[in-house]
Amino acid sequence: MADDVQGDLELAGGGEYDLDYSVMGNVYVGNIEDSADTTVNMLPGGYVRDALVVSDTGILNVFGGTCDWLVSIASDAVINVYGTNYQVDGEPVGEGVTEVYMPLNELAWVDGDGNDYSLFICSDVMVQLPGLVSDGMNQEPEVINVEVDIKPDSSDNAVNLRSKGVVPVAFVSNETFDATRIDFETVTVNGNVGLIKCRGKKQRPMVSETDVNGDGLVDLLVKLDTQMLADAGVESVCEFTATTYDGMAVRGSDSITVVGRK
């Protein structure tokens, strides 16, 4: 648990934060300068005196907590409220409903331990309403484990960190997960963001959708800047994280053989 904050708080720049303390002002999740999404988990014990403002690069997972004013969600942001027995302005949300549009409404719900919560939400997007499992408020956002294949055409994954080229990395689809759902802008390698190579005057990221293993499923292929990998101090194992366009966390790993350093 962090110390209480006197005044406004900005949580931005990518990464993930737990909000289980008091903020005596506004909380800003992400900002227009971000190149990667910022995730904030609002937990029981969290308190925001004023507004919780989620920008287009923000992801807000709500498990509990209190906001005295309202939660404002931008048009490309993501909000997940984990609970059961959802109600909107006092009316129960129908069985099986997983999302609801909220221009300005009070959303109420119950956590797995029977605690009641409510928030006034002003949202430009559909609010996702995932149910809790048996351990209630300790339920973490779902994490999808995916197969990651560094240099799909190579068996030893040798990477010369003195090279000025790229390292292709495939996020592999399977029967239950479409890797093209991954927002490539959120990909991190060992916690480092912005490693995808860009080219051309418009600096377009080197990303494509292709079947890398011939199984008939389309995979996501990104090309990492080798120099950026070297600067990030990548060792033998690369741990990847990302977020899907609908706000689900993704992780996977693969090994490399380092054959050169700066």
Side-chain angles (χ1 to χ4, degrees):
M1 179 181 290
D3 294 334
D4 294 346
V5 175
Q6 302 299 319
D8 293 346
L9 173 66
E10 181 181 74
L11 300 172
E16 184 169 350
Y17 303 86
D18 287 342
L19 180 56
D20 56 356
Y21 48 91
S22 294
V23 178
M24 305 306 291
N26 300 295
V27 172
Y28 299 94
V29 181
N31 62 45
I32 60 174
E33 305 297 328
D34 285 353
S35 60
D37 287 343
T38 299
T39 299
V40 171
N41 301 313
M42 189 171 181
L43 305 174
Y47 171 73
V48 179
R49 189 190 65 182
D50 296 330
L52 231 171
V53 182
V54 187
S55 77
D56 288 336
T57 59
I59 298 171
L60 178 64
N61 296 313
V62 182
F63 295 90
T66 302
C67 178
D68 277 354
W69 189 10
L70 59 80
V71 181
S72 176
I73 308 295
S75 58
D76 288 327
V78 175
I79 176 171
N80 303 293
V81 180
Y82 291 82
T84 59
N85 299 325
Y86 298 106
Q87 294 187 2
V88 176
D89 291 341
E91 294 296 324
V93 177
E95 184 70 24
V97 172
T98 59
E99 57 184 20
V100 60
Y101 184 68
M102 301 189 68
L104 179 56
N105 303 91
E106 182 179 20
L107 175 66
W109 72 97
V110 178
D111 72 9
D113 290 339
N115 300 306
D116 295 317
Y117 293 98
S118 67
L119 290 172
F120 282 99
I121 298 177
C122 180
S123 179
D124 291 331
V125 297
M126 299 293 278
V127 179
Q128 308 293 318
L129 304 177
L132 289 172
V133 295
S134 58
D135 60 351
M137 65 183 180
N138 295 319
Q139 165 74 355
E140 294 293 332
E142 179 183 350
V143 176
I144 302 170
N145 293 300
V146 300
E147 178 185 350
V148 176
D149 190 1
I150 297 173
K151 301 184 71 172
D153 295 328
S154 171
S155 58
D156 60 3
N157 292 350
V159 175
N160 184 348
L161 294 182
R162 295 181 182 274
S163 166
K164 295 184 179 180
V166 297
V167 178
V169 176
F171 292 84
V172 182
S173 296
N174 58 40
E175 294 297 332
T176 60
F177 178 71
D178 178 4
T180 64
R181 291 171 52 197
I182 296 172
D183 181 355
F184 65 85
E185 293 184 345
T186 68
V187 170
T188 73
V189 184
N190 294 3
N192 296 283
V193 298
L195 302 189
I196 296 176
K197 182 81 169 182
C198 296
R199 64 182 174 187
K201 291 183 178 180
K202 294 186 178 180
Q203 288 293 285
R204 297 186 184 280
M206 296 181 70
V207 178
S208 60
E209 297 179 1
T210 183
D211 182 1
V212 300
N213 56 2
D215 64 355
L217 301 175
V218 179
D219 310 302
L220 179 69
L221 183 69
V222 303
K223 294 185 178 180
L224 306 182
D225 188 316
T226 307
Q227 294 294 292
M228 290 184 180
L229 279 176
D231 292 341
V234 171
E235 299 293 340
S236 59
V237 177
C238 293
E239 300 282 350
F240 294 86
T241 65
T243 305
T244 65
Y245 288 107
D246 54 356
M248 306 306 294
V250 172
R251 67 184 175 198
S253 64
D254 198 8
S255 299
I256 60 172
T257 301
V258 176
V259 297
R261 289 195 180 278
K262 295 178 104 177

